[in-house]
Amino acid sequence: MEKKIAQAIQSYFTSHYQITVPEAQLALQETKKEFEGDLTFVLFPFLKATAKKPEDLGNELGNYLVANVPGISSFNIVKGFLNLVLANNYWNELLKDFYTNGIPQPTQGQGKKVMVEYSSPNTNKPLHLGHLRNNFLGYSIAEILKACGYDVVKANLVNDRGIHICKSMIAYQKEGKGETPQSAGLKGDHLVGKYYVLFDAAYRKEIKALMEEGKTEDEAKKKAPIMLAAQDMLLRWETGDPETIKLWKTMNGWVYEGFNETYTTIGVDFDKMYYESDTYLLGKTTVEQGLKAGVFFKKEDGSVWIDLTAEGLDQKLVLRGDGTSVYITQDMGTADLKYDEFKMDRSIYVVGNEQDYHFVVLKHILKKLGRPYADGIYHLSYGMVDLPSGRMKSREGTVVDADDLVHEMITTAEARTRELGKIEDFSSEEANKLYRMLGLGALKYFLLKVDPKKSMLFNPEESVEFQGNTGPFIQYTHARIAAILRKATQLKVLPSAADIPVDYAVHEAERNVLTLLKDFPVKTEEAAETYSPALVANYVYALAKEFNRMYNELPIIGHNTATEQAYRLILCTLTKRTIRQAMLFVGIEVPEKM
RNA sequence: GGCAUCGUAGUUCAAUGGAUAGAAUAGGAGUUUCCUAAACUCUAGAUGCAGGUUCGAUUCCUGCCGGAGCCA
């Protein structure tokens, strides 16, 4: 419809004023609620070229559109805004079409492959709130892209080696006494995290002691015996020392068990796992290629650099003088590895905004190296989750643990549900499933409704809401609709499209819901293009809100005509379906009853 | 110091350069013999400061102030 109108406006300007208006300038917007109409065209930009007053131009154009575009019944002009009113038959045909054929889905991704890399944890400590934002974002964007027709590969690059892992290992060797997750009664990732903390405590104690002996802080940090032991262990790991490798495998095994449990609980998964222990040596041959091609240059000390000053950046190290890798060396290698296997058109890295600079550099390098996939790289850079006191700091014990938080959310959901006492007929299994659904729904919605690019605040003192603009509000609306449809089934009054006459006088509340349903594919497409699940989250909230308004204002079953009843039941079905779909895009399940 | 980023009701979040800046929550007042009150209705409350571009700026540009970040 919007397209038809835009085309009509375009041809009007061409034929009456000999002006060619680019399509981009012909965007119609939805009419604000306080004005009469459905679609609005802004006249201001065209006043100069036509030498008309807004009133006159609006009248001419309005009359032309009413006469030439079927489906527009009338118009009005407020200041420079031309508001178009769509006819009942337009709305009714739309409803019937949606009901028989479904609401269309975007298709821009058909035939294209995209990789979404997300999660990418370190195996030295458990996941925290920031990781949850990452995981939910990655999973959600993958779902949204799938819905647009993309072939999506979800990847996870696990940082399973390096000095941080050795720290946990050293502390375990010193103080572990053969402890296991079973003997300690701890999830594996938490057990390993415990030793990481122990390392840090011992390390700081040693630094303090050395400083009291008169060493500077820098010296003390370098000379602390426990740190030297960790560095030594890293070397032994690299040479493949059997004992070290054995311990490493054991402890990483514990961590993976713990992570998998968390992943299962929060409902995320991966198609392809990468491990840094396999990939950390990659990229060195790329450096050689780059040197030959003149993309990189070598300094006297043998270190290899790229000069990006022409791009407004600076010089960046890509290989150390002793021939060891830096992060970006590995990333170059891994990028090749991924592309060789999947040949994807686009590659999305879900990584925090602290690495913005890193990814700008990586993309520049890959472009200069002439990699065919370089343009398809996109860094989905998201903001940190901050606490009222500022950034989460493990050292200060202010890290919000992912498992703890998820558990707390589920417990809260249970308490709230029991208070309301609406599910007495549920088995305990069904009830537990619902608590998980609601607790995770609240948490995921809380994290995803915010624009990913922005940093956001989490206050541990206040629990995540279950009322208002929240996941459970939307889940509730779904359950409410399900209840209505159950009743309709019982009464055998389920409608068919044939029950709706094309001239049915659409009620305003009905039209508002239908307008939002019509927006679903548009919003999905926009969310995919801007990599923002927040658009879907805010959309589905608006839909639920609008449905509840209608529910409150208009009776659905009974107390109305058969046509009204059929019309509203169809709206119920469509709304329920759309809520479910949209919520799945943000990784949230919805209940039939709550 | 350089680079990039953010600043909107008490608080947490919205707003392709468009109309009277939307929600939620906290505050105040209401709605249940009828489809789920985790809902609905009403009320009060905000664009850091100073310029500029524009018919029109929360949005674009410049400077300042303030917060968190990356690079040395």
Side-chain angles (χ1 to χ4, degrees):
Chain A
M1 190 65 187
E2 282 87 343
K3 263 187 204 158
K4 275 190 210 160
I5 297 174
Q7 279 165 9
I9 294 173
Q10 194 170 29
S11 64
Y12 174 81
F13 278 124
T14 319
S15 57
H16 289 67
Y17 291 98
Q18 289 78 48
I19 311 172
T20 317
V21 185
E23 256 183 74
Q25 278 184 36
L26 288 167
L28 292 157
Q29 43 194 282
E30 265 163 38
T31 304
K32 294 221 166 193
K33 277 218 170 125
E34 55 267 42
F35 300 99
E36 193 200 343
D38 300 300
L39 292 170
T40 294
F41 182 68
V42 184
L43 299 166
F44 291 114
F46 307 96
L47 299 181
K48 251 187 204 165
T50 56
K52 292 269 178 174
K53 288 180 189 164
E55 276 287 316
D56 299 341
L57 181 64
N59 270 314
E60 284 177 26
L61 189 56
N63 282 318
Y64 177 84
L65 290 174
V66 170
N68 289 283
V69 183
I72 300 180
S73 60
S74 65
F75 68 92
N76 64 80
I77 301 151
V78 182
K79 296 186 203 169
F81 300 92
L82 172 63
N83 300 321
L84 304 168
V85 180
L86 300 180
N88 282 328
N89 64 5
Y90 165 74
W91 292 112
N92 300 335
E93 293 293 355
L94 190 70
L95 181 89
K96 292 162 82 151
D97 179 51
F98 284 173
Y99 194 51
T100 19
N101 304 319
I103 298 171
Q105 289 220 351
T107 54
Q108 83 264 32
Q110 273 173 12
K112 291 184 192 149
K113 187 179 264 190
V114 51
M115 174 178 278
V116 180
E117 181 195 298
Y118 70 105
S119 203
S120 307
N122 294 344
T123 58
N124 61 324
K125 52 187 170 185
L127 306 177
H128 60 68
L129 181 53
H131 294 115
L132 288 180
R133 191 178 196 190
N134 179 306
N135 279 282
F136 296 158
L137 268 174
Y139 180 84
S140 175
I141 209 66
E143 289 304 304
I144 291 168
L145 290 169
K146 275 188 212 168
C148 294
Y150 288 95
D151 180 9
V152 179
V153 181
K154 290 183 272 190
N156 188 357
L157 172 56
V158 183
N159 188 349
D160 63 342
R161 54 129 251 144
I163 191 72
H164 51 293
I165 318 289
C166 293
K167 289 178 182 177
S168 295
M169 286 162 65
I170 283 288
Y172 182 82
Q173 270 188 342
K174 282 180 180 294
E175 304 179 46
K177 300 182 189 108
E179 195 174 36
T180 64
Q182 288 74 27
S183 75
L186 269 179
K187 263 180 92 222
D189 49 337
H190 289 261
L191 182 71
V192 172
K194 179 178 127 184
Y195 287 99
Y196 187 73
V197 172
L198 286 176
F199 174 92
D200 200 55
Y203 180 41
R204 274 186 288 161
K205 211 165 142 190
E206 288 182 4
I207 292 173
K208 204 180 157 204
L210 287 172
M211 283 170 75
E212 275 163 12
E213 285 169 23
K215 295 231 166 48
T216 67
E217 194 178 342
D218 274 1
E219 277 174 340
K221 279 184 176 168
K222 280 181 194 156
K223 293 280 156 65
I226 197 166
M227 179 56 89
L228 295 177
Q231 282 163 350
D232 184 54
M233 179 172 266
L234 183 58
L235 289 178
R236 273 181 289 145
W237 183 91
E238 279 170 7
T239 56
D241 171 56
E243 199 188 328
T244 306
I245 297 290
K246 193 181 164 205
L247 179 63
W248 172 73
K249 281 190 172 162
T250 306
M251 290 179 76
N252 267 350
W254 293 340
V255 172
Y256 295 141
E257 255 176 59
F259 282 174
N260 285 337
E261 193 182 323
T262 304
Y263 285 147
T264 304
T265 308
I266 65 176
V268 303
D269 56 12
F270 307 95
D271 306 308
K272 176 77 189 181
M273 300 294 290
Y274 291 100
Y275 297 93
E276 250 184 59
S277 51
D278 297 329
T279 62
Y280 80 107
L281 293 174
L282 298 177
K284 293 190 187 187
T285 50
T286 315
V287 171
E288 280 167 34
Q289 283 172 19
L291 272 171
K292 271 185 206 152
V295 175
F296 302 142
F297 68 94
K298 204 173 236 179
K299 290 194 178 175
E300 305 82 47
D301 63 357
S303 59
V304 182
W305 297 70
I306 185 163
D307 187 352
L308 292 170
T309 44
E311 281 78 11
L313 305 169
D314 48 21
Q315 296 188 349
K316 178 85 185 170
L317 178 73
V318 295
L319 194 69
R320 291 200 190 94
D322 62 6
T324 57
S325 301
V326 289
Y327 270 115
I328 208 149
T329 326
Q330 300 177 36
D331 283 344
M332 289 188 277
T334 313
D336 280 344
L337 182 73
K338 289 168 164 179
Y339 183 73
D340 288 345
E341 181 171 356
F342 293 102
K343 295 279 183 290
M344 58 279 192
D345 302 280
R346 272 197 279 170
S347 187
I348 298 164
Y349 294 79
V350 184
V351 178
N353 63 10
E354 51 201 349
Q355 295 197 39
D356 283 356
Y357 188 75
H358 175 84
F359 278 100
V360 171
V361 171
L362 179 65
K363 191 160 175 170
H364 268 117
I365 291 178
L366 292 171
K367 269 194 190 175
K368 283 182 181 272
L369 289 171
R371 292 297 189 268
Y373 56 81
D375 280 323
I377 285 180
Y378 181 81
H379 174 204
L380 174 41
S381 160
Y382 63 91
M384 299 291 107
V385 183
D386 291 327
L387 304 173
S389 56
R391 214 176 160 169
M392 285 191 282
K393 293 194 178 95
S394 50
R395 193 162 284 190
E396 288 162 26
T398 56
V399 173
V400 178
D401 180 74
D403 293 315
D404 289 351
L405 181 58
V406 167
H407 180 257
E408 189 189 317
M409 294 301 303
I410 294 172
T411 313
T412 309
E414 176 172 356
R416 184 91 184 100
T417 306
R418 293 201 168 183
E419 264 171 48
L420 293 172
K422 293 183 189 172
I423 57 158
E424 260 82 30
D425 57 329
F426 273 38
S427 69
S428 72
E429 196 186 328
E430 286 171 323
N432 284 327
K433 194 179 164 201
L434 178 67
Y435 306 147
R436 272 202 305 278
M437 221 186 254
L438 296 179
L440 280 166
L443 185 58
K444 288 185 183 183
Y445 188 85
F446 173 80
L447 289 170
L448 288 177
K449 75 171 174 181
V450 181
D451 181 345
K453 290 196 289 293
K454 294 193 177 177
S455 59
M456 60 180 295
L457 195 114
F458 173 79
N459 187 351
E461 302 296 313
E462 298 165 11
S463 53
V464 174
E465 302 273 352
F466 282 70
Q467 280 172 11
N469 186 355
T470 66
F473 166 80
I474 299 160
Q475 290 169 316
Y476 167 77
T477 307
H478 183 269
R480 188 182 231 186
I481 298 173
I484 300 169
L485 293 174
R486 275 196 298 271
K487 191 176 171 187
T489 309
Q490 248 173 37
L491 297 173
K492 298 193 169 52
V493 291
L494 284 178
S496 78
D499 298 335
I500 310 301
V502 286
D503 60 348
Y504 172 75
V506 189
H507 194 284
E508 190 186 346
E510 295 164 341
R511 200 186 50 217
N512 288 339
V513 173
L514 192 46
T515 304
L516 278 166
L517 290 171
K518 180 167 72 79
D519 283 345
F520 185 46
V522 183
K523 288 289 174 191
T524 307
E525 194 171 331
E526 204 183 331
E529 270 163 19
T530 59
Y531 304 100
S532 176
L535 295 180
V536 173
N538 288 315
Y539 163 78
V540 70
Y541 170 70
L543 176 63
K545 183 97 188 143
E546 206 56 58
F547 178 85
N548 279 318
R549 260 196 260 270
M550 178 181 92
Y551 175 90
N552 222 262
E553 196 179 328
L554 305 172
I556 292 169
I557 296 177
H559 308 279
N560 53 13
T561 68
T563 306
E564 283 170 340
Q565 179 170 287
Y567 204 92
R568 290 166 197 169
L569 282 172
I570 289 175
L571 275 176
C572 282
T573 305
L574 292 172
T575 304
K576 179 169 181 276
R577 248 189 245 161
T578 306
I579 287 179
R580 200 179 102 83
Q581 272 257 295
M583 288 295 262
L584 288 179
F585 291 172
V586 287
I588 301 175
E589 292 179 285
V590 289
E592 293 296 312
K593 189 175 174 188
M594 68 184 267

